[in-house]
């Protein structure tokens, strides 16, 4: 008999996989299958290791992401594991420019401009709607993951010049691996 609770590490899709470019669909049913996907995503994120993972990064085009900043915990701020289903950004204020990376774009990091504070509405893994107000690292992670769900990558937010540097470097890396 198959143990349905067995967690599994899933393959993280890498740029330029088209699944990362498509807008994801609304989650209509929060059931056991979705819960297993969430468990797998958390496991996959921790194993990477990373601080966030969107469902389309493991090839599932649904509006779902997980964020765990607990490795960055300090005395002032403790971060719980956050599951966001069908998230939307209600308000975004201020701006910060900070370095970002992405599990789907290994070995590349660059400075990205983001809102400094966001208010996000989403459903949790039980389907309950909640709102979260965030700044700092969490605000950055929420915007990064919600971008994923809209088919956007952090490199899309770079300046035209930096974008072309990224693309050139990426092509070169592909050639070297071939
Ligand atoms: Zn990412």
């Amino acid at each position: 008999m198959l143990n349905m609770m067995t967690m599994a590490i899933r393959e993280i899709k890498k740029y330029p996989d088209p699944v990362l470019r498509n807008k994801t669909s609304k989650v209509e049913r929060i059931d056991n299958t979705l819960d297993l996907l969430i468990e797998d995503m958390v496991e996959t994120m921790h194993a990477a290791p990373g601080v966030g993972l969107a469902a389309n990064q493991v090839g599932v085009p649904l509006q779902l992401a997980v964020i765990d900043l607990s490795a960055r915990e300090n005395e002032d701020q403790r971060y719980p594991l956050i599951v966001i289903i069908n998230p939307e950004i209600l308000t975004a204020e201020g701006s910060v420019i900070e370095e970002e990376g992405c599990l789907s774009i290994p070995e590349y990091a660059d400075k990205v401009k983001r809102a400094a504070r966001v208010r996000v509405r989403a459903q949790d893994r039980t389907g309950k709607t909640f709102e979260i107000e965030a700044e700092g690292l969490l605000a950055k992670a929420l915007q990064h993951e919600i971008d994923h769900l809209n088919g956007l990558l952090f490199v899309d937010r770079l300046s035209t010049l930096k974008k072309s540097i990224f693309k050139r470097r990426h092509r070169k890396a592909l050639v070297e691996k071939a």
Side-chain angles (χ1 to χ4, degrees):
M1 177 125 170
L2 198 68
N3 179 359
M4 294 305 287
M5 289 312 291
T6 303
M7 293 189 286
I9 291 173
R10 302 206 185 189
E11 184 203 347
I12 297 177
K13 305 292 178 188
K14 303 285 177 354
Y15 173 89
D17 193 313
V19 76
L20 298 169
R21 287 307 193 183
N22 296 330
K23 216 170 170 320
T24 54
S25 313
K26 198 163 191 258
V27 173
E28 302 287 356
R29 272 182 26 177
I30 294 174
D31 55 12
N32 280 344
T33 311
L34 193 80
D35 219 52
L36 281 175
L37 171 63
I38 292 168
E39 290 300 324
D40 282 359
M41 284 171 60
V42 171
E43 177 113 331
T44 305
M45 168 179 66
H46 285 156
V51 294
L53 191 68
N56 49 341
Q57 287 183 278
V58 293
V60 182
L62 287 176
Q63 287 177 30
L64 160 69
V66 295
I67 294 169
D68 186 357
L69 303 171
S70 58
R72 311 282 186 90
E73 236 170 53
N74 60 45
E75 279 173 21
D76 305 326
Q77 184 128 38
R78 301 203 183 279
Y79 298 103
L81 172 73
I82 296 171
V83 176
I84 48 172
I85 298 170
N86 302 327
E88 54 175 321
I89 294 178
L90 300 175
T91 57
E93 290 170 348
S95 79
V96 282
I97 298 173
E98 275 181 65
E99 191 154 277
E100 267 179 53
C102 179
L103 293 176
S104 293
I105 310 175
E107 292 159 38
Y108 190 81
D110 213 330
K111 289 197 168 164
V112 183
K113 190 175 171 187
R114 297 279 187 193
R117 287 172 302 281
V118 289
R119 185 171 183 87
V120 170
R121 181 189 291 151
Q123 282 166 275
D124 68 14
R125 61 195 299 176
T126 69
K128 197 167 159 260
T129 299
F130 69 100
E131 284 184 17
I132 184 168
E133 259 182 16
E135 55 182 13
L137 200 53
L138 184 55
K140 184 165 90 171
L142 284 164
Q143 291 171 83
H144 181 110
E145 299 314 323
I146 293 171
D147 265 3
H148 270 302
L149 303 180
N150 289 316
L152 284 171
L153 298 167
F154 81 90
V155 290
D156 298 325
R157 296 196 177 274
L158 300 176
S159 66
T160 312
L161 175 65
K162 282 189 165 183
K163 243 183 253 178
S164 70
I165 293 170
F166 164 72
K167 283 186 182 148
R168 227 179 8 248
R169 202 191 284 188
H170 183 75
R171 263 199 302 273
K172 190 163 170 276
L174 284 184
V175 170
E176 279 166 0
K177 275 178 198 159

